[in-house]
Amino acid sequence: MTIGLFDSGIGGLSVLKKLIETLPAHYVYVADTMRAPYGTKTSDTIEVFSREIIGFLAEKKVERIFAACNTSDSTLVKYRGAFKIPYHSIIQAGVNASKYDRVAVIGTHMTVQSGLYKHDLEARGKKVIQRPAQLFVSIVEEGIFYGNMVEAIVKFYLEPFRKFKPQELILGCTHFPFLKDIIARLMDNVRIIDPADEIVREVSHLVGSGRSFVEFYVTGNPEEFERKLKKIGFKYPYQVKHLEIAELEQKVVYFERACDIDRVLGSG
Ligand code: DGL
């Protein structure tokens, strides 16, 4: 089985790690580090980037696609019902994982601005508070997961949630689980939701086989990406390759192999 994942950088590794533990497969992971971060760009821009990456994965003949990036996923809502290659939405997984009534959500600027988590959770009768925590993406990409500075930054972003007394906090960006220990300590008695756990449950009926292997395609510096893989102790066999942006841009034509565009246009 060949499975595709994508993110702006190492955030999606928090999804890949959980997936690979459950489902042995051949993984193709695109890390668009050259054009990262995604969360501060416009929705139209990220929709185009996401379509290019999905086109790339479709050409690689992946059998399933996991949005290991909430920001990308937030730009792809209109395509959700039209995917021909099964597509797993990380945002939908996060919403489905919620059990309680008072929910706090953190994500990138764009994910929060999209209002998707808020809308879908409120539609289930929940009270929702949300806040962007974009700086978490930068510290995680820098490989800084612990220490006083991280604690101060996490506190700065999460302190305003206290008054709301959330029962749950959704980590609405795949970079954030790298800071989960510190977040959990500061949000005492709050259930911390990593949507990756739910996305893994979605495929628990699938049976993989053999030994997993990961092909990483990195648009930025592959050596730097590999250093990060080593730093987080990524222990599965892999290969890191460079992917030119110019080449990736051309793959947008294959998006239609993954998604029935006519159905999207027809419904719009
Ligand atoms: N890890 C991504 C997410 O889940 C994107 C972070 C970024 O590039 O801003 O939203």
Side-chain angles (χ1 to χ4, degrees):
M1 192 184 326
T2 308
I3 290 177
L5 283 98
F6 60 99
D7 183 43
S8 62
I10 63 164
L13 296 177
S14 65
V15 181
L16 175 65
K17 254 174 71 187
K18 291 191 171 171
L19 212 51
I20 211 169
E21 277 162 17
T22 324
L23 192 59
H26 185 93
Y27 289 90
V28 182
Y29 181 115
V30 178
D32 194 5
T33 53
M34 181 70 125
R35 301 186 290 192
Y38 276 8
T40 51
K41 302 200 165 60
T42 67
S43 179
D44 288 350
T45 302
I46 301 305
E47 183 187 326
V48 173
F49 292 177
S50 306
R51 287 175 56 154
E52 289 166 4
I53 294 171
I54 290 172
F56 176 83
L57 293 172
E59 204 203 2
K60 290 265 168 221
K61 300 205 168 17
V62 301
E63 291 149 84
R64 267 173 202 275
I65 296 173
F66 287 83
C69 174
N70 291 258
T71 309
S72 287
D73 191 30
S74 77
T75 71
L76 297 171
V77 194
K78 63 172 175 282
Y79 302 108
R80 272 188 196 167
F83 275 102
K84 293 186 274 186
I85 299 176
Y87 171 86
H88 296 264
S89 155
I90 188 91
I91 295 179
Q92 266 180 339
V95 170
N96 290 339
S98 167
K99 284 190 202 155
Y100 297 108
D101 291 335
R102 302 182 69 79
V103 190
V105 181
I106 45 173
T108 63
H109 282 297
M110 197 196 299
T111 301
V112 168
Q113 260 160 34
S114 79
L116 274 174
Y117 272 112
K118 190 166 159 59
H119 174 272
D120 290 1
L121 290 162
E122 284 178 350
R124 296 180 183 201
K126 296 165 188 268
K127 294 233 173 327
V128 182
I129 189 167
Q130 56 168 5
R131 217 180 164 217
Q134 185 70 42
L135 195 50
F136 290 4
V137 176
S138 311
I139 52 177
V140 166
E141 283 292 336
E142 284 294 307
I144 310 170
F145 308 133
Y146 301 98
N148 293 342
M149 182 187 74
V150 181
E151 284 192 30
I153 293 171
V154 170
K155 206 166 166 189
F156 172 85
Y157 283 99
L158 299 186
E159 195 72 30
F161 284 154
R162 264 187 208 287
K163 266 218 244 110
F164 177 77
K165 294 200 184 355
Q167 295 160 296
E168 295 176 326
L169 171 70
I170 299 181
L171 306 179
C173 169
T174 54
H175 280 77
F176 299 176
F178 287 99
L179 307 176
K180 193 173 172 184
D181 291 350
I182 293 185
I183 292 174
R185 223 180 310 131
L186 275 155
M187 300 296 281
D188 210 16
N189 288 322
V190 175
R191 178 175 174 245
I192 310 291
I193 297 177
D194 176 356
D197 291 319
E198 183 63 26
I199 226 167
V200 166
R201 254 194 299 277
E202 284 177 10
V203 288
S204 56
H205 62 286
L206 296 177
V207 186
S209 66
R211 214 169 158 221
S212 286
F213 187 84
V214 189
E215 264 180 89
F216 289 105
Y217 288 89
V218 181
T219 57
N221 184 336
E223 285 87 32
E224 198 182 313
F225 188 81
E226 193 160 2
R227 264 198 298 282
K228 292 178 185 177
L229 281 176
K230 292 200 169 118
K231 170 140 200 191
I232 65 159
F234 191 78
K235 59 173 199 271
Y236 294 90
Y238 65 83
Q239 195 177 9
V240 181
K241 295 178 191 165
H242 184 238
L243 174 60
E244 291 286 348
I245 295 291
E247 188 192 335
L248 184 54
E249 281 170 349
Q250 286 167 12
K251 305 297 178 189
V252 76
V253 293
Y254 300 117
F255 180 70
E256 293 185 33
R257 285 193 190 170
C259 180
D260 188 347
I261 304 259
D262 291 340
R263 247 173 83 190
V264 178
L265 296 175
S267 69

